[in-house]
Amino acid sequence: MKVVYTDVLVIGGGLAGLRTAVGVRQRGLDVLVLSLVPAKRSHSVAAQGGMQASLGNSAMGAGDNEDIHFEDTVRGSDWGADQRVVRMFVNTAPKAIRELAAWGVPWSRVARGSRESVVNAEKITISEADDAHGLITARDFGGTKKWRTCYTSDGTGHTMLYALGDQTIAHGIPVLERQEALALLHEGNRCHGAVVRDLITGELTAYVAKATTIATGGYGRIYKVSTNAIICEGTGIALALETGVATLGNMEAVQFHPTAIITAGILTTEGCRGDGGVLRDVDGHRFMPDYEPEKKELASRDVVSRRMTEHMRKGKGVPSRYGDHLWLDITGLGRAHIEKNLREVKDICEYFLGINPVEQWIPVRPTQHYSMGGIRTDHTGQSPTLKGLFSCGESACWDLHGFNRLGGNSVAETVVSGMIVAEFIADYCETEGGELSIGTGLVREFLDRERQRLDALLLGTGGESVTALRESMETVMMDKVGIFRTGEELEAAVQELQDLLHRSRNITLRTKAPGANPELVAAYRVQKMLKIALCVAQGALLRTESRGAHFREDYPQRNDRDWLKRTLATWENDSDDLPSIHYEEIPVTDMELPPGFRGYGTRNHVDHPDTEARVAEVEKTLAEVPEADRFARQQALMDYESLLPEKYRGRNERLTERL
């Protein structure tokens, strides 16, 4: 029996995992990072467009601050977010981006003087102030009132991940590659680490830790076409689900990105539209102003994706052998801009489509992109039901994004949540409750259980094919749990996924090697992925309303009266074929920004019975402090600063707000 002890175990080597590891190491704790792939090949490296932080340096971002970022994020979430967490996030994001600059991220900068830009498909002149010269600049993104998305050309994730990778080396943090966690070590409501399999040798090791952090990203690969890397299968989230103790939150909240290329599903960044690109139909008509005359292509992602699908349903898609698509036109931006600020997009178009986007339109259609759902945590990043288990980044339901994420907020969330959660992890490890208290007998029990499961797969004779099961799951999710959902299709999806789960318990492998065996890996992963898929489908079936990225054609209204709540899913017994679903109320009486009209289409929601009273209370509170500055007015509405780790409290400096 091989056992490794550490203070903190981090599962996942992307931006969130590495920033968490750096944070706890700075507090003097030992930390190990486990990664399926070399850390600098984690999916974080694929982030293109940028990271939101309200710096307010550029002319088009002038006047931006935490209050505006907060409102954009809450409205973008369709009031599904935890507003205290949103406040913690928007306060810390400027600190995070400046820290990354100090660590070597080469953020694009403001250049003094006049320059030409494209806004709303028209060329305009933007004049940058002398005192902003050399400061971090920003581009426009959907769902924001200000240009707030800081970037490094269109390779933001690449530069951020490499900088953080260098920081792990500088801090002497071991990053163990080709290691896959199979199960969490837990007893009662306490997590003690994980059972981990070496993907090369097949050896099982128990990693015992005071605190365990899951930062494994999203679950996009349960869908047939996704912008996610092939390792984003949701199996890290499934580790928490399979404990029967930890809960998953809002799993039905799945975002589709408007502009992925056909047929590969590779993302072309929202920066294309933020920089002035437009969407066109089969006739070359720019159609988004017909649906969203104010925000047009820069409406929130869920809205643009639905409008695109709706337009194709009207027969305005471009026919192709891969199905209908629409056009993304960035030719108006000019060669110099594309080759400087959208160079990865240009490379993708040339390598995968054989076209030059400087001169030709890009064939795109909405594709699964992001998972708002994940391991339910409190504001500290810890599971409320399984102590010692933390999560951050896309694998967590923290809950920053609610039912729809704004572009740029996820890249920011990785490092911001990593910074904040690392402090709470360190605090936990230093308490009496964080002490190691696990016997070797329990460790052996978990190791033996996982070894028996692997042996059962290797020796199985049920005749089921891993490949066939996975392909069927992906097709069900794509066809019946997509952008537009109906009760009939969701019921069928749940039934079909249940059948696939039953069949997955009778897999036969052609390759019996216990070590490096991709077929074995696919077998135990597909069993976990089917449970995740069922959480998504069942949650979507039961939520009889439309909110953010979850859109029910048979229930098109947002219904705050009955559904202003988070979906919580647990998997109580391994033999079950459905998750247990329950709910967590989102209290209106605590909100700084009470629910209202989101600003897209026509007003179509049912008010919560407490909304009117909370709106009146907010107005009364603000009327009592008319001369106060914005910080005092905000504090009067909702306290959040006391929730932040002390080192991240305090104000952010801007050109217009000097400290």
Side-chain angles (χ1 to χ4, degrees):
M1 182 173 71
K2 185 176 180 181
V3 184
V4 175
Y5 293 89
T6 186
D7 291 325
V8 180
L9 176 67
V10 177
I11 303 171
L15 285 171
L18 295 186
R19 185 58 188 85
T20 302
V22 169
V24 296
R25 189 71 191 93
Q26 288 174 331
R27 289 282 298 271
L29 298 173
D30 289 333
V31 57
L32 288 173
V33 178
L34 305 179
S35 182
L36 293 178
V37 295
K40 290 179 179 178
R41 297 305 303 157
S42 298
H43 184 50
S44 298
V45 81
Q48 297 173 348
M51 165 182 166
Q52 285 208 33
S54 58
L55 303 182
N57 295 329
S58 64
M60 300 299 283
D64 197 14
N65 58 42
E66 298 90 349
D67 295 345
I68 302 171
H69 192 182
F70 169 82
E71 183 175 343
D72 286 345
T73 301
V74 173
R75 289 185 182 277
S77 78
D78 224 352
W79 277 273
D82 182 333
Q83 294 191 16
R84 299 173 310 157
V85 168
V86 177
R87 272 291 175 188
M88 294 168 68
F89 165 75
V90 301
N91 176 273
T92 309
K95 300 174 176 67
I97 206 165
R98 288 167 175 146
E99 177 183 76
L100 289 167
W103 286 350
V105 175
W107 298 111
S108 296
R109 302 280 172 159
V110 176
R112 66 167 63 89
S114 299
R115 61 185 173 89
E116 279 197 345
S117 184
V118 177
V119 176
N120 193 21
E122 295 181 3
K123 287 191 176 181
I124 67 167
T125 299
I126 298 174
S127 297
E128 301 288 3
D130 287 344
D131 59 354
H133 181 75
L135 300 180
I136 298 169
T137 191
R139 60 171 27 131
D140 202 6
F141 253 37
T144 64
K145 293 183 179 69
K146 300 286 185 179
W147 290 25
R148 185 185 302 124
T149 306
C150 308
Y151 61 96
T152 58
S153 183
D154 61 345
T156 308
H158 184 110
T159 57
M160 290 172 65
L161 188 61
Y162 273 62
L164 267 170
D166 291 346
Q167 283 297 310
T168 61
I169 295 170
H171 285 85
I173 299 170
V175 180
L176 309 180
E177 302 168 359
R178 314 294 182 185
Q179 304 294 317
E180 179 165 17
L182 299 183
L184 294 179
L185 295 167
H186 65 96
E187 186 174 31
N189 67 342
R190 178 70 163 90
C191 180
H192 299 286
V195 175
V196 178
R197 181 175 182 269
D198 188 308
L199 289 171
I200 298 174
T201 66
E203 181 183 24
L204 295 185
T205 302
Y207 286 83
V208 177
K210 296 178 180 179
T212 304
T213 305
I214 294 178
T216 52
Y219 43 91
R221 284 293 163 178
I222 64 174
Y223 284 83
K224 192 174 188 67
V225 184
S226 172
T227 66
N228 289 190
I230 59 173
I231 57 173
C232 297
E233 298 171 315
T235 51
I237 295 171
L239 298 177
L241 181 69
E242 290 182 335
T243 63
V245 182
T247 59
L248 306 187
N250 291 347
M251 292 297 287
E252 68 269 34
V254 178
Q255 184 180 83
F256 282 67
H257 196 287
T259 55
I261 66 170
I262 63 165
T263 65
I266 299 172
L267 179 68
T268 57
T269 173
E270 189 161 322
C272 291
R273 289 172 287 125
D275 289 3
V278 298
L279 292 166
R280 301 190 185 277
D281 63 17
V282 66
D283 302 319
H285 172 62
R286 183 189 177 197
F287 60 89
M288 276 305 298
D290 301 338
Y291 296 99
E292 301 295 339
E294 181 181 347
K295 294 297 290 185
K296 306 176 181 66
E297 283 82 5
L298 288 175
S300 193
R301 286 180 179 176
D302 61 317
V303 174
V304 178
S305 292
R306 281 197 297 274
R307 295 306 195 190
M308 291 172 68
T309 305
E310 184 179 345
H311 201 61
M312 286 188 285
R313 284 179 169 185
K314 292 177 180 177
K316 293 297 183 178
V318 182
S320 80
R321 58 177 172 167
Y322 307 113
D324 286 357
H325 66 81
L326 294 163
W327 298 113
L328 172 62
D329 175 11
I330 63 172
T331 58
L333 305 184
R335 180 180 298 276
H337 181 96
I338 292 171
E339 291 183 347
K340 177 183 179 182
N341 293 316
L342 298 170
R343 57 193 181 193
E344 285 193 11
V345 170
K346 186 172 183 289
D347 287 346
I348 288 167
C349 289
E350 290 175 344
Y351 295 153
F352 292 92
L353 296 171
I355 66 171
N356 182 355
V358 174
E359 302 169 351
Q360 298 164 279
W361 297 347
I362 307 167
V364 296
R365 66 178 168 220
T367 301
Q368 193 286 334
H369 176 61
Y370 188 82
S371 315
M372 277 74 73
I375 299 168
R376 181 69 183 122
T377 73
D378 59 21
H379 72 279
T380 71
Q382 185 172 205
S383 166
T385 52
L386 187 58
K387 300 304 177 184
L389 177 65
F390 293 79
S391 185
C392 57
E394 191 175 353
S395 63
C397 179
W398 192 24
D399 176 25
L400 171 63
H401 307 299
F403 272 74
N404 178 67
R405 165 180 79 80
L406 293 186
N409 266 0
S410 65
V411 182
E413 183 195 21
T414 59
V415 290
V416 171
S417 66
M419 292 165 67
I420 293 172
V421 172
E423 297 301 313
F424 288 118
I425 291 171
D427 291 344
Y428 176 79
C429 289
E430 292 170 359
T431 65
E432 184 178 345
E435 291 299 320
L436 285 176
S437 57
I438 180 174
T440 55
L442 183 66
V443 175
R444 184 178 297 280
E445 178 186 329
F446 272 87
L447 281 168
D448 289 345
R449 188 191 73 180
E450 293 308 310
R451 191 172 290 110
Q452 289 167 11
R453 287 179 172 177
L454 294 172
D455 289 344
L457 283 169
L458 289 168
L459 300 174
T461 58
E464 293 290 349
S465 162
V466 175
T467 304
L469 290 170
R470 177 158 179 165
E471 287 179 349
S472 296
M473 172 194 67
E474 292 171 348
T475 299
V476 169
M477 295 302 294
M478 204 73 192
D479 292 348
K480 297 173 182 174
V481 200
I483 295 176
F484 288 96
R485 300 168 175 178
T486 67
E488 183 180 356
E489 289 183 336
L490 290 169
E491 284 182 4
V494 170
Q495 292 174 3
E496 291 174 44
L497 291 169
Q498 284 179 293
D499 179 59
L500 292 172
L501 180 62
H502 293 153
R503 289 168 56 191
S504 74
R505 294 164 181 161
N506 294 289
I507 289 172
T508 296
L509 301 182
R510 292 170 295 174
T511 305
K512 306 295 185 181
N517 184 344
E519 190 182 20
L520 173 61
V521 172
Y524 61 69
R525 286 184 186 173
V526 79
Q527 292 175 334
K528 296 178 186 292
M529 293 170 75
L530 282 163
K531 292 176 181 176
I532 295 298
L534 277 161
C535 289
V536 175
Q538 180 73 348
L541 173 62
L542 297 179
R543 182 173 284 272
T544 52
E545 67 151 358
S546 292
R547 185 180 299 273
H550 168 70
F551 192 86
R552 287 284 297 264
E553 290 188 278
D554 44 354
Y555 294 96
Q557 283 188 311
R558 188 187 87 205
N559 184 348
D560 293 342
R561 181 191 62 212
D562 301 320
W563 285 106
L564 191 58
K565 56 186 75 173
R566 292 184 189 91
T567 305
L568 299 180
T570 55
W571 203 282
E572 296 173 1
N573 300 293
D574 194 53
S575 58
D576 291 347
D577 61 3
L578 268 182
S580 297
I581 301 292
H582 47 293
Y583 297 95
E584 172 189 358
E585 297 290 334
I586 304 176
V588 173
T589 52
D590 295 342
M591 290 185 180
E592 177 181 339
L593 181 64
F597 177 45
R598 192 173 167 208
Y600 299 114
T602 58
R603 186 182 182 94
N604 186 26
H605 70 268
V606 179
D607 284 324
H608 191 280
D610 294 336
T611 296
E612 185 177 355
R614 180 56 181 166
V615 169
E617 186 178 3
V618 167
E619 292 174 350
K620 180 176 181 292
T621 301
L622 294 178
E624 291 171 351
V625 287
E627 305 301 323
D629 63 23
R630 68 179 182 88
F631 301 100
R633 290 165 67 84
Q634 186 281 315
Q635 181 65 21
L637 293 176
M638 183 183 72
D639 173 58
Y640 76 91
E641 197 168 31
S642 64
L643 303 178
L644 274 170
E646 188 171 352
K647 67 186 294 185
Y648 296 126
R649 298 174 190 174
R651 300 179 182 181
N652 297 297
E653 187 168 34
R654 297 178 180 82
L655 289 171
T656 55
E657 290 183 321
R658 298 293 190 179
L659 296 182

